[in-house]
Amino acid sequence: MATPFSFVFLLLFSLLPSALSQFNISGLLIDCGVNTSYTDDRNLRWVPDSPYITSGESKNLSTPGLSTTFSTLRSFPFNASRPRKFCYTLPSYRGARYLVRTSYFFGGPGVPPVFDLIVDANLWTMVNTTADYVAGSASYYEGVFQAKGKFIIVCLAGNPNYTKGDPFISSLELIMLHNSVYNATDFDTMAMGLIARSKFGATGDIEGYPDDRFHRYWQPFPDKKHAKTSTHNITTSFFWNLPPQDVFNTAIVADKGSPLAFQWPQLVSLQNSTYYVALYFADTVLGKSRNLAVYINGYQFYDGSVTSNGTVVFSSAWILSGLTTVTLAPGSGSSSNLPPLINAGEVFGLFKLQNLTTTRDVISLQAIKQLINNPPEDWTGDPCMPPEYPWTGVTCTFDSRIRVVSLNLANMGLTGKISPSIASLTAIANISLAFNDFSGDIPNLGQLNYLKKLDLQGNQLTGSIPESLGSIRTLRELFLQNNNLTGQVPSNLLNNTKLNLRLHPGNNFSPDPPVP
């Protein structure tokens, strides 16, 4: 029988670099919709979201008994005919690995909307909080990403294929991880989305900070019949994923002489794909050890010994599908009379990262945005990616490189100036800024060798027509009427028989060329 994994690692006292003792946790905790910063009962500092986003509407919830974090939210307008993404821009260190967690509590009225969650250029997951809301609970989504630059971009987007409602968010957390955590994943090409993180045999509340220094949530996985607790402390700083000590103090233990099978993750049917699976073990009796075997959906995941010092076994590429069953059984050749056990587990979905828009085009569009006084509110994040949610007015191609090929901002009530950086969109074929209120000069666009149409009519542009426009051999339409242009019209434009040139009315050229 083929085994559904590429490799499995055993980590027993995997010593980390000494730099761990000097590593400071860096985190940004954002309470969406709140007006002022505050410190919660764990002594964690939460800040407003307004410095990190320029769109959306903050709302206060009237639901009684809510914590401060869930008493406000930010919502974003849904448009079925023009789906848009709305993005938080979070400061980061290039190459650093981050835990990203978004949390949600709807508060009513009606049914929560379902929408898309995006990180950088990647369509991460669908956010569906309906079941949790009906149960009176909040929802959260957690993933692990590597920063590709100075910012990590987290976006929400209304998807008309789901429901017709405004996307919303209650809180957003960005926690920098130590470089040992989950380091078997190639974060240059992949990211991880949490499916389940469980503390087996535990009851009560979720375990998190300060027990887990990285703010990870460990959900209790109760089993009254098989639960067992212990009190010996394990030095978890020796484990690469740095779990909190307390996850080794509870376990579920099989009956002596019998295997134990249970469904985990519970009530989750997984898509046929590759997953990261990490399982944590420690003998509950100090100084003892036992042999055990672990099977996932009938395939052997581990067969070996477990001591009271703790063991972590993980695979960075295990194939799962449908409902998942974990089976604990005595290990092969076991001489121990102690039954098998398990303390904790994590499972993440792995997904391939998408390419970003060509850097040159991104820089150009950012410069264009800077000179527009009232740019479209969805002009944040990647301009072209994911393909379902490009910036308003931006059209792209998705060949070997992702390039901007059209910019159409006509009739949008925009004011400001046309940035000279528009000339850096060297793959562009169509530019339309018509019927706005742009002022200033027409920039030099002579290097746009693929430009076919330039429509600047109906603005407040001044100065003369750049002669360089006449050097664009591909140009077939040039509409400049209803501006305040002056000077001479370049002869290379007037003599171009292939060009549809419109200059009148509204301009004051000398000499005034004839009306075509």
Side-chain angles (χ1 to χ4, degrees), residues 298-313:
Y299 295 95
Q300 187 178 93
F301 188 81
Y302 177 62
D303 188 345
S305 64
V306 170
T307 73
S308 60
N309 292 322
T311 302
V312 179
V313 184

Side-chain angles (χ1 to χ4, degrees), residues 114-138:
V114 180
F115 48 91
D116 284 329
L117 179 58
I118 299 161
V119 173
D120 294 330
N122 307 287
L123 189 56
W124 172 10
T125 188
M126 177 181 71
V127 174
N128 188 344
T129 67
T130 304
D132 286 335
Y133 180 62
V134 170
S137 302

